Amino acid sequence: MDIRLDELVRSGDFRTMRQGLLSLDLPTLVDELERLDPDDRAVAFRMLPKALSVRVFELLAPELQGELVSQLRSRDVATLVEELDPDDRVTLLEELPASVARSLLHGLDPDERRMTLAVLGYPADSVGRRMTPEVLALPSGSTVGRALRLVQAGQEEAETIYMLPVVGDGRVVVGVMSLRRLLASDPEAIIDDLMSEPITVQATQDQEQAARTVRAHGALAVPVVDAERRLLGVLTVDDAMRILLDEEHEDAARAGGTDPLRRPYLATSVWRLVRSRITWLLFLILAAALTVNVLDYFEDTLAQVVALALFVPLLIGTGGNVGAQAATTVIRALALEEVRPRDVWRVLRRECMVGLLLGVTLATLAFGPAAWMTDWHIAVVLSASLVLICTMAASAGGLIPLLARRVGVDPAVLSAPFITTFVDGTGLIVYFLIARAVLGL
Amino acid sequence: MDIRLDELVRSGDFRTMRQGLLSLDLPTLVDELERLDPDDRAVAFRMLPKALSVRVFELLAPELQGELVSQLRSRDVATLVEELDPDDRVTLLEELPASVARSLLHGLDPDERRMTLAVLGYPADSVGRRMTPEVLALPSGSTVGRALRLVQAGQEEAETIYMLPVVGDGRVVVGVMSLRRLLASDPEAIIDDLMSEPITVQATQDQEQAARTVRAHGALAVPVVDAERRLLGVLTVDDAMRILLDEEHEDAARAGGTDPLRRPYLATSVWRLVRSRITWLLFLILAAALTVNVLDYFEDTLAQVVALALFVPLLIGTGGNVGAQAATTVIRALALEEVRPRDVWRVLRRECMVGLLLGVTLATLAFGPAAWMTDWHIAVVLSASLVLICTMAASAGGLIPLLARRVGVDPAVLSAPFITTFVDGTGLIVYFLIARAVLGL
C-alpha cells in the first residue's frame, strides 16, 4: 500500500493514520517512520500499540532513538529502554546528552544497569561496546544431555544458543560447541570430547578486526573474552555485519568526500548535510589555492601561449582521477589486509606501471585532437605531461594510504585531500616546465 | 609468525614451507595464499594435506578457485568441487571457461549435479543463484517431538537447522519454526500452533533486495520460494552478508572511479588493474574535451584577462566535488530505499539549499585572498561563480542518480561521469559569462 505518512500526520486524521500504520509490516513501518520529520515521527510513534512500539524502537537508527527519547514522556521512555539489548542501549546512551543518559541509567533495574555499565566501560571502537553480555555458557565436563537441559532452561536469557562457549575454572573459555553438534551427539558423551577449538575475540580489540574474524570463520557468533580468556560476552553475526557495513559505508562516503551521515537522508537537516560536506571542501580549497599560486607563478608563460590554458582542466582532472583510483583500490586492500604496510615497494612498483600504461594510452588518444586544435608542439607538451602526471598520480595514490597507515591515521580519511593537493600542484608544475622546454620559452 | 611464503616457494625449501603453511590458522593461511602469484599459489596449495586443502579451497575467492582448477590435475579438482556447497559451486562454474565447466559438471555425482543445475537455472543477479537447495523442512501438522527427531536425522544434509520452514501440500511454505522455539516447547505440541508467519523471498527476486530483507528482519536464514510459495531453498545470513558487502564495495569502487576487482589486490595483474580503470578515464577525457572546447570558445576573453585562468582549476575542482558529495549521499539513500524516485522534488529542494549554503561559505572565504592576488573585480567574478556553480553542482548531483534509477540504470555507474561532464562544462560557461558581464568585455 502506498500511504503518505507525512500527509496523514499533517491532515490530523489520526484514525486513518493508525490504520495505515498498522497495515504495514515491521521493516516498512520503520522505513516510513525514518522518512518523517522528527515532530511528525513522535506523533506517529505515539499512536502505535505498546508491544509494537517497543519493537519499532529497537529497529530505529540510534540517532533517531535519541531524538524520540527527548520527545516522549519519561514513563514511556523507561519501558522502551528497558527492552533494548545491553549493546543497543549503550549505542543509544552515547547519542543522548549526558544528563538524560544518567537519568535513564538510574531508571533501569539493577541487573540491567550492571550489564549496561559493563558494556559502557570499554573503549569507543572496541568489541566490548558491541558485544552482548547475555551469553549462555556450558561448564566443562558436562554430558551432552545435561548441556541440552541447560540450554532449554537458560535460553530465554541468552542472545544466541546456537554457539555455546564451554568454560572451565574462572569462566575461562576452553572450547565451543554448536547446538547442531550437541543435538547430533550421544546424550552420555562428555562435551569436552566433542567441542572445537574456540575462536575468540578480546573485548578491547578493534570492532572491525573482530567482525572480520566472525566473517572469515563463517561463525554465527564468537565468544568475547578478557586478557585471561575469561568469558565476558558474545559478538553475533548480526552485530559483525552491521560493523562491516558501517565501515564500508564510511569508506564509500569518504571516497565521495563526505562524512557518513549515520541517519536516513530525508531525516537529516540541511544544516547537518552542509556540515558533513564543508570540511572536505575547505581542505580542497586549500589544495586549490596551491594551483592558483602555481598558475600565478607561470602567468608569463600563459600570457605568451594562451592555448596552454585550454588543457589545464583536462590535466588536473585526469591526474586527480588516476590518483583517486589507485587510492580507492589500495585503501580497500589495506582494510581487507590483502596489503600490509611492509608491501610498500610491491604496491609502488605496480601502481607506477599501471599509471604509466594509463598515461601512454590517454596520451596516444589525446595527441591527434590536440594537434588539430592547436599545433603539434602543444600536443607534444600535452602528451608528455599526461604520461608523467598519470605515473606520478598513480604512484602517489598507492603510496599515501600506506604511509597514512604507518603513521597510524585512517587511510580513508587522509588520502583524498593529500592526493588532490599533491597531484594538482605538481601536475601543473610538470606541465609548465615541459611547455617551457619544448616551446623554448 | 611472520613467514614470507613467496620467498619460501622460490627457495624450493619445501619442508620448511610445509611446516610454515601448517603453522598458520585457516583464515591466515587463505590470506597468505591469496597474496601469492598464481603459479606459486598452485605449488603451495599442492603441499596441503587433503582435508585442509578442501577447506582452504572453499574459502578462496571464486576467481582464484577458477585459476587453481586449471592448474591442478583433474582428479584433485573433482574432489574439491564435490565438497563445495551448490551455491559456491555455481559461482566457481561461472568463473571457468564453458568447456571446463561442462566437464566438471559431468564429473559430479547425479544428486549434486541436479542441485547445481537447479541453481544455475536462475538469472544472474537473482536469489536463486545464491540460495542453497539443501534445506530441511518440517511437514505441517507434526508434533514438536517428531520435528526434533527429523532435525536430528536430517541435519547432516542441511545448510542450516536453526531456521526450519514448515511446509504443507506441494511443499508450500506455511510458516517457520526456529530451532530455539522447538527446543523450548512441549514435545506433544503441534508445530502449526507455534510457528511464526514466514518471511520469504522469491528465487527470481534481486539478490540485494533479498539480502536487505534478511538483514531488516535480523534473520539467520529465510526460505526461498517460487511464485506459488513452494520451498526451493534457503538464503542464509552469511550469503546475505556477502551480497551486501559486495554491493557496498561496488559502490565504493565506483565512487573512486574503478570497476570492483573481485580478487585480492596483489593477486591482480597490472593489465587487469589498467582495464578496471581505463573505461572511466576515457569517459572523463570526453568530459574534459568539452572543457577544452569551452575554453577555446572563450580564448579571446582569456587572452584579454589572463588572470581569469588562475581560478579555473579551483572552480572546476570545487564544482566536481560538490556534485560528487551530493551524488554519493543520494546514491546510498537510494540503495537503502530511504529515498525513492518519487521524492525527486524533496531531494532537489534540499540539495539546492545545501549547494547554495556551501557556495556562499566558500565564496566568502575566497573573496579576500582573490582580491589581494588580483583585483576586486575578478574576486567578485570568482565569488559569484562559486555560489552559482556549487548550487548547480549539488542539484545535479542529487538529481542525476534519481533520473538514472527512473530510466532503470544503476545510479552508481551512471552518475559520476555525467555529473563531471555537466559540472565542468557548464561551470566554465557560467564563469566566463559572469566575467564578461562584470568586467565589461
Side-chain angles (χ1 to χ4, degrees), chain A residues 358-376:
Chain A
L358 291 172
V360 169
T361 313
L362 296 178
T364 311
L365 288 171
F367 186 84
W372 178 79
M373 270 194 87
T374 56
D375 64 65
W376 72 267

Side-chain angles (χ1 to χ4, degrees), chain B residues 181-194:
Chain B
R181 188 102 183 242
L182 211 54
L183 279 174
S185 303
D186 174 14
E188 299 304 313
I190 301 293
I191 56 173
D192 298 61
D193 300 332
L194 300 165

Side-chain angles (χ1 to χ4, degrees), chain A residues 60-74:
Chain A
L60 282 177
E63 297 77 10
L64 304 188
Q65 289 178 343
E67 276 176 13
L68 256 184
V69 159
S70 58
Q71 289 169 312
L72 298 174
R73 278 168 312 148
S74 50

Side-chain angles (χ1 to χ4, degrees), chain A residues 350 354, chain B residues 263-275:
Chain A
R350 311 180 119 234
V354 172
Chain B
R263 54 166 64 205
Y265 175 74
L266 293 176
T268 310
S269 70
V270 167
W271 277 112
R272 198 180 277 264
L273 286 174
V274 169
R275 257 186 295 148

